[in-house]
Amino acid sequence: MTGKIMLLAAATAVGATVFAIGSLADETPAAKPVSPIYGVALPEGYRQWALIAPALEDAPLNELRVVVGNDIAVKAYRDGTFPFPDGSVLVKLAWKRTPSAEFAPASIPGAATTVQVMVKDAKKYAASGGWGFGRFINGVPADQAQHETCFACHEARVNNHDYVFTRYAP
């Protein structure tokens, strides 16, 4: 009798394990949306990354912006390492400038406009200076036409700074 109970317990445990593994397989997360051309996604946890620098964009965009970076990018900025090492990721968040209700001379973030991402991988993105680009509006990648201008703009203006506009704010 004891052997039958042990066999039943073992069979039940194996069945539960198979069920659990099957359940995990069914919970595969959906693929993240990626930018056209470069295949760049919004990185996990970027809102908690270190500040690289703020920026103010006048007309026509009239935006408040901040650039944050992952640990690799922040270390490169602090150490003055250029070009940036592979694995560096920079994220620019932008909002419409809105006058502060509490302090008239100040601007505060209004409606979010875009989140833009640069990912350094010298081999994967060799044709675009080693950088992959992504532009997202409400978490959705912008259209291909908007991505076609990314590298051209960076190449024309900041090819002497590893194609990165933002300077580190100490």
Side-chain angles (χ1 to χ4, degrees):
M1 193 73 158
T2 306
K4 288 182 181 179
I5 293 173
M6 289 177 61
L7 184 58
L8 180 61
T12 302
V14 168
T17 302
V18 170
F19 175 78
I21 291 170
S23 295
L24 290 174
D26 293 341
E27 294 176 13
T28 304
K32 287 184 175 184
V34 296
S35 65
I37 304 171
Y38 302 98
V40 169
L42 287 171
E44 290 292 327
Y46 69 90
R47 292 294 300 258
Q48 284 72 47
W49 288 1
L51 175 71
I52 301 296
L56 178 63
E57 182 77 30
D58 289 326
L61 297 177
N62 197 31
E63 291 179 336
L64 294 174
R65 298 174 170 190
V66 297
V67 174
V68 296
N70 68 356
D71 291 342
I72 298 168
V74 171
K75 183 174 180 356
Y77 269 111
R78 288 182 179 157
D79 295 347
T81 303
F82 296 99
F84 285 85
D86 281 359
S88 296
V89 182
L90 301 171
V91 177
K92 176 172 48 177
L93 296 90
W95 303 267
K96 283 293 183 190
R97 283 174 36 195
T98 302
S100 169
E102 292 83 15
F103 187 62
S107 293
I108 60 171
T113 58
T114 64
V115 176
Q116 298 175 39
V117 182
M118 290 179 67
V119 176
K120 183 67 179 258
D121 185 326
K123 290 180 184 174
K124 183 175 182 180
Y125 304 116
S128 53
W131 290 97
F133 299 88
R135 183 169 191 246
F136 299 84
I137 300 168
N138 295 322
V140 177
D143 63 28
Q144 182 162 333
Q146 291 183 35
H147 285 87
E148 289 171 353
T149 63
C150 293
F151 180 61
C153 184
H154 286 250
E155 182 179 39
R157 293 175 172 84
V158 286
N159 64 358
N160 63 340
H161 194 254
D162 196 21
Y163 307 100
V164 175
F165 283 97
T166 304
R167 302 307 195 264
Y168 185 63

